[in-house]
Amino acid sequence: MKIGIGVFPGSNCDRDAMYAFKCHGAEGIDYIHYGVETLSEYDMIILPGGFSFGDYLRTGAIAVHSELFSALPSFIAGGGLVLGVCNGFQMLVESGLLPGFLLRNREHRFISKQIHLRVEDTDTPFTYKYSKGDVLRMPIAHTTGNYQPAGTSEKDIRVIFRYCDEDGNATGEANPNGSHDNIAAVSDPKGRVLGMMPHFERVCDPILGESGIPLIKGILEGGGNGNS
Amino acid sequence: MGILSANDLKIVTERLKRKPNSVEAGIFSVMWSEHCSYRTSRPFLSKIFTDSPRKLAGPGENAGALDIGDGYFVAFKMESHNHPSAIEPYQGAATGIGGILRDIFTMGARPVASTDPLRFGHMNDPHSRHLLEEVVRGVSDYGNSVGVPTLCGETQFDDSYGINCLVNVFALGIGRTDEIIKGRASGTGNLVLYFGSKTGRDGVDGAFFASDELTEESKKNRPSVQIANPFQEKKVIEACMEIARKHLVVAMQDMGAAGLTSSSVEMAERGNVGISMDLSKVPLRQNDVTHYEMMLSETQERMLAIVEPGRLKEITAVLKRHEVDWAVIGEVIDEPALKLFDGDGESVAVIPLESLQYDVPPAGTKREKRDLETSQADLSQISVPSVFKKLMASDLINSKHWIYEQYDSRVGADTVRPPGNGFSVLRVMKTKKALSITNLGLEDWVQIEPYNGGFNTVVRSALEHYLGGFTPIGITDCLNYGNPEKPHILEQFAASVRGMSDAAELLSVPIISGNVSLYNENEKGAVKPLLQVGMVGLIEDIEDISYPEFQKSGSRLYLLELSDGVNSPTVASKVLFDNDQGAVPRIDQNALKEFISNMEKILPLVSSARMISRGGLALALFKMCLDNGLAFEIPKMESGDLFKEYGAAMLFEIDPSLEKKFLSLTATLSPKHIGSVTVGDDIIINGEKMKKTELIELYSDSFGRNFL
């Protein structure tokens, strides 16, 4: 599994993602400059969190015009996996590679806290090591994470994680940012492009928390539906 | 406009043996401003305790740096951004973060944590609410964008901060000892390389304005407040990390207060060389920036480095890759002077560095001790549950998650203990070590008894680290006072700094960096003096950390006092009676020394331990059962004793099977048995029951209600 972590000026979770994967034995993993022309040598691209190009305009609005993004559609068509976290999710939505929109949080403020997630779909190469209904504790840290499917038919949205309380109930109170139906992560219809707001890469060792480990191990072992 | 006083102009004229031109006068005026020269505070700061075998850089460098072993060092420093924040809170706070981070990464250390001790007027005042909201937004936008986690901090309220809010910023970085960069220019013919943002007019005279009282007129100084660009800073950080890793510079310094002037002059002074610069080469944001403005601009996110000509190609390749603009604007010269000229060779300014020497008359030298009223409120007749509830709801005590949830506290994946409950903990990647960080300022105490207030601040901070299993290794201070030309203010400053330094020496914790902010004053008077101590602790094995939270029902609770707390000023008397008076507790130095020397034997017997701080024993007990299913029972205690505050007192949770051993080891310190840990939701004090969940709700929800 050859993994590339896209680095844009202003990315700030790129090193965290590198650390998380290396912790669990990833070997073929490196950083990719946003100006890269081709992604053909990689099996998966991670779009990390941060503030690409400062995000002074709209989150991800400039990043999606990079060479890296021009190369993504053919990379995906060729069977490549894409995982966008936080700013990376914002880019995927901005580019149209994932459906829906991310708006500013309900309270219009940055939110940094530990939340709970319920696993909704394990039929992807990212989530097959979880069980449906598992409750995970992960941190979120964003201003623009209020997911709205506006204009997209709900049956076209594959929801991978939902915000919930510690008992797994997706209540209004457990919804930190106003997302439609407590949606925290969605994928494309094939389950090969995943966008998520929570930072799984910050909970991947015994000291910081371990709920992100099955996701990392699942990717590294290369199993799950859709992988040949 | 920064102008020289008549007396300073006379000194400049004598030293130069001619009248300075306007650019030279501007340079003298900012370099001799209180902000840059410490002209008033220097005599007192020169005596503080700074010794440590770990020390790699101390006061006078961009930040203090300490060796933590395994090939790593930590650099940390605290600064104030009070004046800019009082008139333009969003930009003031944001640029405060940017500035303190640059002091860290300019040394080749990656910034891995920042914290923000803040002071405002009470939240029932709309202006204070506005200041707080904007300051928090400024910290949030900047800190989150650059990817540096914002940790512990400390927010308190007092009417004296209504106009002059205090915004202190602390930052810490970790680097490899063989990659440390200092701000010492050397090597005749080496190049002066400018990189980062282009120079504009923002912040011209900022240092000068930060050295004055705030008046109605001050609002006109808004153009003196700098504008933040965290995206630029993030690019500069990554470029500097690569520059350090590849050893590409001889020296480096950020352009902070007094911008190009102070960065060039200070690097030349430290290296006892001169610097000549061609101002026509300075990258400009607009064409009509004058020489005077170029030298005094405080445009943010700019760096100045000294580079060997042979390395220029390599370093500019790094800058290009990170999309950072650069220009070679001068060179190092033998003659210890600052020489400025314009493209065609025309001289703009010539200043021998000797003439800039800071031994200029201070703004004030007169000191006068003022004894304050110390009649403390009587807490003996109060109802414990009702006071408990009032304290939980008070902004002086309640949870500040409304603030810190706007800060990304976990970016970087090193945050082991996020903000919210005492000290913060950060791991040191690739080692087993971890660092603890505390922020503490006791303005009510320093106001009443400056020396003792300063002393207490350091002791209480240090004990918090010890109880967590950490060894405190260094202090950075931020000293916020009123107008030092007033004798009682200068006395407050001098005595409290002496108290801080004496305690630091007693505990062998060096003061390695810091900042002074004077003139925090307006028509209504001076702020309460805030001596803010940022302390950093080190633990060799992250597994050995002990957190101040109850472990087990059935444990016995002991109070161990190392100071008296008779009639101390308390938060309870402030909340109940609006009374901030009292006698500052005296620390029993012999008992303190005895405790510290026996600590290695005592602490392993303890299930958990906590310092008694704001809100007294009552609050310490409550915070120890915030996040677990435990509670406590105190069978019999005077209500005054529950809310009393100490200089140095600790609460210990002891397993009954270890009680005998604990008591024999601490016999001479006479710990008092006060109660026990229970399970469930009932907090019981003197037979009266309170619901913990109800208290937690008040504690958690009260602060945010100010902003509904």
Side-chain angles (χ1 to χ4, degrees):
Chain A
M1 172 67 63
K2 174 92 175 144
I3 301 172
I5 300 174
V7 181
F8 302 82
S11 292
N12 65 26
C13 300
D14 43 341
R15 296 168 64 247
D16 305 6
M18 178 65 86
Y19 164 79
F21 276 87
K22 281 201 162 168
C23 255
H24 297 282
E27 280 169 7
I29 182 164
D30 50 29
Y31 296 115
I32 322 176
H33 188 263
Y34 69 90
V36 68
E37 301 281 339
T38 168
L39 301 170
S40 55
E41 63 176 295
Y42 296 99
D43 303 305
M44 183 174 100
I45 302 299
I46 295 175
L47 301 168
F51 291 74
S52 51
F53 296 93
D55 274 349
Y56 290 126
L57 181 56
R58 190 174 58 241
T59 54
I62 297 179
V64 299
H65 295 287
S66 63
E67 290 83 348
L68 192 156
F69 258 83
S70 307
L72 272 184
S74 59
F75 173 76
I76 294 165
L81 300 179
V82 179
L83 171 53
V85 186
C86 201
N87 194 216
F89 185 14
Q90 293 162 348
M91 292 173 199
L92 288 171
V93 167
E94 172 74 24
S95 66
L97 292 170
L98 285 177
F101 298 88
L102 284 160
L103 308 182
R104 285 174 75 83
N105 297 339
R106 188 178 44 212
E107 317 284 347
H108 290 266
R109 285 195 297 268
F110 193 91
I111 306 173
S112 161
K113 66 195 286 193
Q114 296 275 13
I115 48 88
H116 291 94
L117 288 179
R118 189 173 72 202
V119 179
E120 304 288 77
D121 187 338
T122 56
D123 201 16
T124 78
F126 306 99
T127 53
Y128 68 93
K129 284 204 178 264
Y130 295 108
S131 301
K132 199 163 181 230
D134 276 358
V135 176
L136 317 173
R137 193 168 144 89
M138 280 189 196
I140 53 166
H142 59 251
T143 310
T144 307
N146 177 354
Y147 184 80
Q148 298 298 334
T152 317
S153 153
E154 289 199 24
K155 65 176 172 33
D156 291 337
I157 298 175
R158 246 179 108 168
V159 178
I160 308 299
F161 296 121
R162 275 201 170 83
Y163 299 109
C164 65
D165 62 18
E166 54 190 337
D167 301 319
N169 304 309
T171 61
E173 241 183 5
N175 184 341
N177 53 21
S179 286
H180 175 78
D181 215 7
N182 284 38
I183 293 173
V186 299
S187 81
D188 68 336
K190 287 182 176 164
R192 301 188 66 81
V193 178
L194 172 66
M196 61 190 290
M197 288 317 293
H199 288 277
F200 74 91
E201 76 281 14
R202 298 182 187 178
V203 274
C204 62
D205 70 29
I207 291 170
L208 303 183
E210 301 183 304
S211 56
I213 295 177
L215 193 150
I216 294 173
K217 283 196 166 161
I219 292 168
L220 291 177
E221 288 170 22
N225 185 39
N227 273 311
S228 44
Chain B
M1 275 258 158
I3 42 159
L4 282 167
S5 70
N7 195 38
D8 283 358
L9 181 63
K10 212 176 116 212
I11 300 172
V12 173
T13 309
E14 277 165 18
R15 289 185 179 179
L16 292 180
K17 301 191 182 70
R18 61 180 168 84
K19 279 215 156 135
N21 64 33
S22 69
V23 176
E24 291 165 339
I27 289 173
F28 276 98
S29 80
V30 288
M31 291 308 290
W32 286 358
S33 71
E34 193 62 54
H35 193 82
C36 290
S37 74
Y38 296 90
R39 59 197 292 173
T40 305
S41 54
R42 190 174 287 266
F44 309 104
L45 296 175
S46 62
K47 295 175 199 149
I48 60 173
F49 176 74
T50 66
D51 301 343
S52 166
R54 295 181 182 276
K55 192 168 71 181
L56 302 175
E61 273 288 348
N62 286 307
L66 298 169
D67 192 329
I68 55 166
D70 290 354
Y72 290 94
F73 72 95
V74 287
F76 55 91
K77 191 183 181 183
M78 191 154 35
E79 264 190 0
S80 61
H81 236 215
N82 302 336
H83 288 74
S85 301
I87 59 166
E88 176 45 283
Y90 176 82
Q91 295 293 348
T95 55
I97 298 287
I100 193 68
L101 293 177
R102 284 194 295 283
D103 282 332
I104 302 302
F105 68 73
T106 194
M107 301 193 73
R110 178 176 283 278
V112 291
S114 71
T115 75
D116 307 276
L118 307 173
R119 294 293 184 275
F120 298 96
H122 289 288
M123 289 293 98
N124 54 10
D125 164 36
H127 180 64
S128 292
R129 279 203 304 276
H130 162 73
L131 288 177
L132 183 138
E133 279 186 288
E134 289 297 285
V135 163
V136 169
R137 197 167 65 84
V139 171
S140 164
D141 277 1
Y142 205 101
N144 299 346
S145 300
V146 295
V148 177
T150 303
L151 302 177
C152 45
E154 194 207 30
T155 308
Q156 284 291 314
F157 306 88
D158 188 274
D159 286 336
S160 74
Y161 304 122
I163 294 168
N164 289 86
C165 62
L166 301 183
V167 175
N168 290 182
V169 286
F170 165 101
L172 176 142
I174 298 178
R176 302 230 21 126
T177 43
D178 57 356
E179 291 171 5
I180 194 167
I181 298 171
K182 294 201 183 170
R184 186 180 306 269
S186 66
T188 306
N190 279 343
L191 305 173
V192 177
L193 177 74
Y194 169 123
F195 63 92
S197 296
K198 294 183 166 69
T199 298
R201 287 217 183 85
D202 44 336
V204 170
D205 284 339
F208 189 78
F209 137 74
S211 308
D212 205 357
E213 291 184 23
L214 287 185
T215 59
E216 252 319 288
E217 286 282 288
S218 302
K219 286 180 190 152
K220 291 189 191 147
N221 280 322
R222 282 212 176 107
S224 281
V225 177
Q226 314 84 334
I227 308 298
N229 182 352
F231 173 53
Q232 177 73 270
E233 178 111 334
K234 174 66 176 160
K235 292 193 293 182
V236 173
I237 291 177
E238 296 309 322
C240 286
M241 292 302 99
E242 196 172 335
I243 287 169
R245 200 161 59 238
K246 296 181 170 167
H247 303 274
L248 296 177
V249 295
V250 174
M252 188 154 72
Q253 181 155 339
D254 73 299
M255 297 190 221
L260 192 51
T261 296
S262 63
S263 51
S264 57
V265 166
E266 287 173 14
M267 281 202 287
E269 274 175 346
R270 293 193 200 104
N272 197 27
V273 292
I275 279 181
S276 107
M277 293 191 289
D278 176 356
L279 296 187
S280 71
K281 298 270 169 58
V282 173
L284 297 179
R285 204 160 55 200
Q286 61 210 84
N287 288 330
D288 55 347
V289 182
T290 65
H291 293 146
Y292 176 93
E293 288 164 339
M294 260 179 237
M295 292 308 292
L296 302 192
S297 161
E298 293 189 3
T299 296
Q300 299 288 289
E301 294 94 19
R302 298 179 303 162
M303 308 292 290
L304 201 64
I306 308 295
V307 181
E308 289 170 10
R311 310 301 296 273
L312 186 66
K313 231 180 165 174
E314 265 178 282
I315 192 171
T316 53
V318 170
L319 293 170
K320 193 170 171 225
R321 187 162 51 256
H322 291 282
E323 301 177 25
V324 174
D325 291 335
W326 58 272
V328 173
I329 62 167
E331 61 176 16
V332 176
I333 54 175
D334 255 343
E335 182 190 346
L338 179 68
K339 292 189 169 177
L340 306 177
F341 56 97
D342 198 3
D344 50 16
E346 194 186 326
S347 172
V348 173
V350 179
I351 301 178
L353 296 183
E354 208 181 24
S355 67
L356 272 169
Q357 283 308 302
Y358 302 116
D359 52 349
V360 283
T365 52
K366 270 199 201 137
R367 290 162 57 182
E368 176 196 284
K369 214 170 162 176
R370 246 190 217 181
D371 285 327
L372 287 174
E373 184 65 40
T374 56
S375 62
Q376 193 243 9
D378 180 9
L379 296 177
S380 62
Q381 302 303 317
I382 55 180
S383 139
V384 172
S386 94
V387 179
F388 228 113
K389 283 180 193 160
K390 276 186 185 152
L391 284 186
M392 292 298 147
S394 163
D395 291 341
L396 301 179
I397 293 288
N398 57 23
S399 165
K400 300 299 178 296
H401 68 86
W402 186 90
I403 296 178
Y404 63 74
E405 282 179 2
Q406 297 186 51
Y407 304 155
D408 192 343
S409 51
R410 289 182 174 84
V411 60
D414 287 329
T415 304
V416 177
R417 186 171 173 82
N421 199 357
F423 57 89
S424 290
V425 178
L426 204 67
R427 65 175 168 191
V428 182
M429 201 65 106
K430 293 181 188 155
T431 72
K432 291 179 83 179
K433 296 171 202 279
L435 298 164
S436 50
I437 304 171
T438 54
N439 287 142
L440 183 67
L442 299 168
E443 55 273 26
D444 292 316
W445 295 18
V446 172
Q447 165 107 333
I448 296 167
E449 268 186 80
Y451 177 87
N452 214 359
F455 195 95
N456 269 293
T457 313
V458 170
V459 172
R460 195 193 287 180
S461 300
L463 285 169
E464 199 163 344
H465 291 269
Y466 282 130
L467 294 186
F470 294 84
T471 304
I473 56 171
I475 291 171
T476 180
D477 59 44
C478 196
L479 307 166
N480 310 265
Y481 296 75
N483 181 347
E485 295 158 40
K486 297 179 180 168
H488 74 282
I489 301 278
L490 192 58
E491 171 60 20
Q492 266 177 0
F493 178 82
S496 58
V497 167
R498 201 159 47 79
M500 167 182 73
S501 177
D502 284 354
E505 189 164 4
L506 180 80
L507 299 167
S508 298
V509 189
I511 300 160
I512 60 161
S513 60
N515 172 259
V516 179
S517 171
L518 301 172
Y519 299 95
N520 292 293
E521 184 146 359
N522 57 64
E523 286 98 339
K524 289 182 189 160
V527 296
K528 274 190 183 164
L530 177 65
L531 179 147
Q532 179 65 229
V533 164
M535 194 179 281
V536 174
L538 176 68
I539 194 166
E540 291 298 326
D541 188 343
I542 199 165
E543 304 285 336
D544 296 338
I545 301 174
S546 154
Y547 292 112
E549 289 144 19
F550 289 146
Q551 298 298 308
K552 198 167 118 201
S553 164
S555 298
R556 314 252 298 161
L557 294 171
Y558 279 89
L559 173 68
L560 196 149
E561 299 173 51
L562 304 173
S563 63
D564 63 11
V566 185
N567 295 330
S568 57
T570 64
V571 173
S573 64
K574 272 174 96 162
V575 172
L576 297 177
F577 308 110
D578 198 20
N579 181 340
D580 57 5
Q581 296 165 7
V584 177
R586 254 153 246 289
I587 287 170
D588 180 341
Q589 295 193 21
N590 290 328
L592 176 66
K593 278 190 232 162
E594 191 186 328
F595 174 74
I596 290 175
S597 62
N598 286 315
M599 213 165 41
E600 268 184 37
K601 287 183 217 145
I602 299 171
L603 293 183
L605 302 175
V606 166
S607 303
S608 69
R610 189 175 193 103
M611 284 303 293
I612 313 285
S613 190
R614 289 192 181 89
L617 188 57
L619 251 289
L621 287 160
F622 171 72
K623 286 193 174 173
M624 290 185 84
C625 51
L626 259 184
D627 285 326
N628 47 36
L630 301 171
F632 59 89
E633 177 169 9
I634 306 296
K636 194 171 178 349
M637 185 174 270
E638 294 275 332
S639 50
D641 287 345
L642 266 168
F643 299 103
K644 184 164 88 175
E645 290 173 29
Y646 304 81
M650 293 159 274
L651 178 62
F652 289 117
E653 177 192 359
I654 308 289
D655 188 283
S657 67
L658 297 169
E659 191 176 21
K660 249 191 188 154
K661 221 170 163 190
F662 171 77
L663 288 176
S664 76
L665 267 174
T666 53
T668 49
L669 298 169
S670 356
K672 277 184 219 153
H673 176 241
I674 56 161
S676 51
V677 179
T678 58
V679 71
D681 196 37
D682 290 332
I683 289 176
I684 305 172
I685 297 177
N686 297 339
E688 284 188 279
K689 263 190 202 172
M690 287 175 279
K691 287 283 171 217
K692 188 177 89 172
T693 37
E694 212 175 292
L695 294 176
I696 289 180
E697 213 175 287
L698 279 174
Y699 177 75
S700 304
D701 298 348
S702 301
F703 189 70
R705 291 212 182 99
N706 290 312
F707 305 96
L708 291 180

